Amino acid sequence: MAIIQKPGWFYYEKDGERLGEVSYLKAAHNQVLVLNHTYVDPSLRGQNIARQLVDAVCDLARSQGQKVQPDCRYAAALFKRYQEDYADVALEDGPKANSCSI
């Protein structure tokens, strides 16, 4: 699996086709990464690709001493389900966390 990082994005690409992605915005003077969108192609769902993409953002935040605010329903659910895995970077859900489509 190839996860590629671009400013504001991590994405999974296979054979030149983007099949999964997570996007984030920087907030609070670059101290917070706001996860605002997660998508994985239906053919790849259930393979933990979305979690790996979210984890890539969290690893970036850890390496830069930042926090992560889930403003996407998938990320918010992931942070709640695995609180211990994200406790060091997690902030409260953003205002759109319950309305973002998966």
Side-chain angles (χ1 to χ4, degrees):
M1 180 171 107
I3 293 182
I4 300 162
Q5 179 183 2
K6 298 283 184 179
W9 293 90
F10 281 90
Y11 60 93
Y12 170 71
E13 187 175 278
K14 184 176 180 182
D15 299 327
E17 184 178 359
R18 188 179 293 192
L19 298 172
E21 62 190 24
V22 63
S23 64
Y24 62 90
L25 302 169
K26 292 182 179 183
H29 304 286
N30 292 330
Q31 294 304 305
V32 176
L33 301 180
V34 179
L35 281 167
N36 62 352
H37 170 72
T38 305
Y39 172 78
V40 173
D41 187 81
S43 67
L44 298 174
R45 292 189 182 156
Q47 298 180 34
N48 285 324
I49 291 172
R51 181 169 183 177
Q52 292 174 43
L53 291 164
V54 169
D55 286 351
V57 175
C58 292
D59 290 343
L60 175 65
R62 286 181 184 103
S63 74
Q64 298 181 357
Q66 298 167 313
K67 295 292 185 180
V68 178
Q69 180 181 37
D71 200 18
C72 162
R73 187 171 49 169
Y74 173 80
L78 190 66
F79 277 36
K80 284 180 182 148
R81 184 171 185 185
Y82 300 101
Q83 291 178 14
E84 63 283 350
D85 294 345
Y86 301 105
D88 61 326
V89 294
L91 292 177
E92 292 184 21
D93 297 353
K96 297 178 185 172
N98 293 321
S99 63
C100 175
S101 62
I102 295 177

